[in-house]
Each structure stands twice: as C-alpha cells, then as structure tokens.
Amino acid sequence: AGQDPPKNKRPKEQGENRIKPTNKKVKPKIPKIKDRDSADSTPKTQSIMMQVMEKGRFQKPAATLSLMAGQTVELRCKGNQIAWSYPAYLDTFKDSRLSVKQHERYGQLTLVNSTAADTGEFSCWGQLCNGYICRRDEAKTGSTYIFFTEKGELFVPSPSYFDVVYLNPDRQAVVPCRVTVLSAKVTLHREFPAKEIPANGTDIVYDMKRGFVYLQPHSDHQGVVYCKAEAGGKSQISIKYQLLYVEVPSGPPSTTILASSNKVKGGDDISVLCTVLGEPDVEVEFRWIFPGQKDERPVVIQDTWRLIHRGHGHTTRISQSIITVEDFETIDAGYYICTAQNLRGQTTVATTVELS
C-alpha cells in the first residue's frame, strides 16, 4: 500500500506535461536534469569492474586482491568501448597468457597461468569516441591491484640483476622493489656503508604499489641500495639498485656547437661538433643542415653518447654529433646548423665555416 501513492503521482505529472507542453517545458526539465546529474555522479564512486568467480558468479574486486600464482583471472568492465591498463611486463613480451576482448556490452581481460611477475595494477575505463578520436570517460572506471603470491618469490621478479635509478632534484625517484605478499614487511638498505635506510615518511616513504619513494632526492641519497622483505618467517633480498644523482634540470636539450676551425683553406678537412648535456636517461636525436647538402656533398656524421660524472658524484649524459667534411671546397662554406631534440623539445645552434 505504501508504494501506491508514488505510482499514482507519476502518471499525473506525465499527464500534465502532455496537456501543457509549451507552458511547462522548462519546469519538468529542471528536476529531470538534476536526476541525471545525480545518476551521473554515482558511477564516479562506483567501479565498472567485475571479477568473474567460480561457477559463473561475479563480484566487485577489492582495491587489492591476493591470489596464488597459477590462478586464472578474468575481469569484466561494463561498456561497449573499454580500454585497459595492466602491468607493463605483460606488454613487453606480447604475452600470450593475456587476452583482451571487447564484447557488445562489456570488455573482458583474461590472464591464465599467472606468475609473481604479473603483480600490479589492472584497470579499465570507458571511452567517449567521436569517429577515431576517443577520450577517457572519468565517470566510468575500475581498478584493482593484484598480488600474485608465488612460493619463494617475495619480490616481484626483475628482468635484470642490477638496475639504475636516477635521482632528479625536481621530482620523485622510486626504488621499485614491490612485493607479492600484501603482509610482507619491507626495509631499504644501503650496501656501503652497510645500514638500513629508514622510510620515515618525510624523505622516503614505502608504497606497496611502487616501492620506496624518495620524495625530494638529493646527492646524499646516491649509492647502491637493496630491499629486504620478510613474510611468514621467510626473508628475501631484492636486486641491487644504483642511485645516481642527476645534475642537469629537465627541459629541451642544452646544446653547444664548435667547429674545428671557422676559417679553412681549400682541400683541408673540417669537423663540426654538436654537444648536449642532459639527463642520463633522456635520449637525444640530432639533425644537421649544411651548405653542401643541396649538392649532395658527401659528409660523415657520427652520433655518440656516454655518462659522465661531474663533481660530487653528479651524473650527466653527454650526447654528441660530429659532422666531418673532407677536402673543403667553396660549396662547403656557410652555416652548419645542428638541431638537437628530446621528448621535452628541441634546440638549434649554428656556426659558420668560411674559406680562407
């Protein structure tokens, strides 16, 4: 009986709208828009992700899941345009154990024969597409971080036995020793002099999804470190990480150019050197424009790079490109222009070489 009055009220409102559509067009729309807003706001807090359980059951996955390695994981996200993110390890080797499919009403991710190395964040989101251009729908997302526990593997396995972590003064640095057991106690240690480095929450914090995070790296932090994990009466040591402090601020390449001589006699050889000092892990590409280019003048261009240590253990990447012209002629005189480019921009420098 308690449900009858609302049922009776709704048809009346609809009837009124039909009788006087012109006068009341605006008024009924206002509550409707509010209803839509409130309906739209709920997905922002509700995940669109479901985990497929045994016997066809479904459940919303928790923010973190602990599963035994070897288990099959099937995740579904509601929507007809679903994009996925998962541990980069699975992408690196184009792993056949991973399957991602789009069905009419949901996206599906399946991982079989899981291993400790698969530990990480699995997330999905709906896409709003206009033709081929899609953008992320922030109202429709879902994620879970899965720990795949494997016997004898407290740490997520690394492809190498040694890794380099660059410490930039203007951004966080991460020593990526992640664990496969949620309850593991993890500590950070310096190799020499041997001591534990406290994760005090101000300089360094431990994030189980990322590792040890250096919030404000400085040169005192550099050296060789490793992590130690303890769980269930067992302990394990991670690979070692070389922490290198970076001197050069991030940005477009800091570029200089220098000719072996700016005045050359005919028949001599000339070389022009373009040099970039930059961050150790940022690659640089070089392009040259030179006077004899339009005449297809043969030149030799050689690109090299190496890491250099500059005082107080600061580490810098020096990238160089050298253009060499043999048997200098009139057509070789003019501007030698070098453009250096990295992911953050490009810098162009030039010098002149004249025939004396």
Side-chain angles (χ1 to χ4, degrees):
Q3 291 179 348
D4 288 339
K7 280 184 180 175
N8 292 339
K9 279 181 185 175
R10 280 183 198 133
K12 281 181 185 175
E13 286 178 4
Q14 289 172 357
E16 285 171 9
N17 293 348
R18 286 184 196 129
I19 294 163
K20 299 178 182 177
T22 47
N23 297 344
K24 298 215 172 184
K25 230 176 205 177
V26 179
K27 286 183 181 176
K29 275 191 176 178
I30 293 168
K32 278 187 181 178
I33 290 167
K34 283 181 181 173
D35 288 345
R36 278 181 197 153
D37 285 350
S38 60
D40 281 352
S41 65
T42 46
K44 288 176 185 174
T45 54
Q46 287 185 355
S47 170
I48 61 168
M49 181 182 282
M50 299 295 284
Q51 182 185 3
V52 181
M53 311 299 287
E54 291 177 355
K55 298 176 183 175
R57 290 187 302 111
F58 294 86
Q59 75 174 32
K60 284 196 182 294
T64 57
L65 292 176
S66 285
L67 302 175
M68 292 301 295
Q71 281 186 255
T72 294
V73 177
E74 184 183 338
L75 301 172
R76 293 186 183 183
C77 290
K78 189 178 177 183
N80 59 3
Q81 292 267 19
I82 297 296
W84 292 88
S85 172
Y86 41 82
Y89 167 84
L90 289 166
D91 245 351
T92 308
F93 304 103
K94 296 285 182 278
D95 210 310
S96 59
R97 298 176 301 118
L98 179 76
S99 160
V100 175
K101 294 178 182 175
Q102 178 64 54
H103 299 273
E104 189 179 348
R105 295 188 177 182
Y106 63 90
Q108 177 190 39
L109 180 147
T110 308
L111 177 65
V112 300
N113 299 327
S114 56
T115 71
D118 301 325
T119 295
E121 189 93 35
F122 292 78
S123 60
C124 66
W125 57 93
Q127 296 186 100
L128 300 168
C129 296
N130 183 3
Y132 291 106
I133 300 167
C134 296
R135 61 185 175 86
R136 184 182 175 118
D137 185 352
E138 295 296 345
K140 296 178 179 177
T141 63
S143 72
T144 183
Y145 189 96
I146 305 178
F147 294 88
F148 290 103
T149 304
E150 191 171 338
K151 191 175 180 182
E153 294 283 5
L154 290 182
F155 286 107
V156 177
S158 171
S160 60
Y161 294 102
F162 193 84
D163 206 355
V164 176
V165 175
Y166 295 109
L167 305 173
N168 293 272
D170 56 349
R171 62 178 179 267
Q172 295 179 356
V174 179
V175 176
C177 42
R178 299 178 298 126
V179 287
T180 62
V181 180
L182 182 58
S183 59
K185 183 194 174 197
V186 191
T187 50
L188 181 64
H189 299 260
R190 182 182 292 280
E191 187 177 50
F192 183 82
K195 67 170 186 175
E196 182 180 333
I197 302 170
N200 52 20
T202 52
D203 280 349
I204 304 170
V205 296
Y206 183 68
D207 180 340
M208 64 181 181
K209 296 181 181 180
R210 298 170 69 197
F212 284 96
V213 183
Y214 285 73
L215 300 175
Q216 292 179 311
H218 51 78
S219 56
D220 292 348
H221 287 140
Q222 62 190 347
V224 177
V225 301
Y226 62 89
C227 305
K228 185 179 179 182
E230 295 178 12
K234 294 180 180 177
S235 67
Q236 190 176 359
I237 287 174
S238 73
I239 67 166
K240 291 176 181 176
Y241 299 90
Q242 172 78 56
L243 308 189
L244 295 175
Y245 188 75
V246 178
E247 179 184 18
V248 182
S250 58
S254 171
T255 314
T256 56
I257 193 167
L258 182 67
S260 56
S261 176
N262 292 101
K263 291 200 172 183
V264 188
K265 292 177 183 175
D268 284 357
D269 297 345
I270 176 76
S271 60
V272 182
L273 178 66
C274 192
T275 302
V276 169
L277 295 178
E279 297 174 87
D281 52 345
V282 176
E283 291 186 11
V284 177
E285 288 185 0
F286 293 97
R287 295 193 307 277
W288 284 95
I289 297 173
F290 53 94
Q293 202 163 16
K294 60 181 180 294
D295 297 315
E296 297 184 358
R297 175 77 158 96
V299 297
V300 177
I301 297 174
Q302 189 176 14
D303 296 350
T304 59
W305 71 269
R306 69 183 192 277
L307 295 181
I308 56 172
H309 299 285
R310 309 177 72 200
H312 303 297
H314 291 197
T315 305
T316 302
R317 179 186 181 119
I318 181 168
S319 304
Q320 293 182 313
S321 183
I322 187 166
I323 183 170
T324 304
V325 180
E326 295 178 346
D327 194 16
F328 198 85
E329 302 175 27
T330 308
I331 61 166
D332 298 318
Y335 281 101
Y336 285 75
I337 302 167
C338 168
T339 298
Q341 182 165 3
N342 65 16
L343 293 172
R344 297 184 180 88
Q346 66 179 35
T347 307
T348 300
V349 289
T351 188
T352 56
V353 180
E354 298 173 4
L355 193 63
S356 62

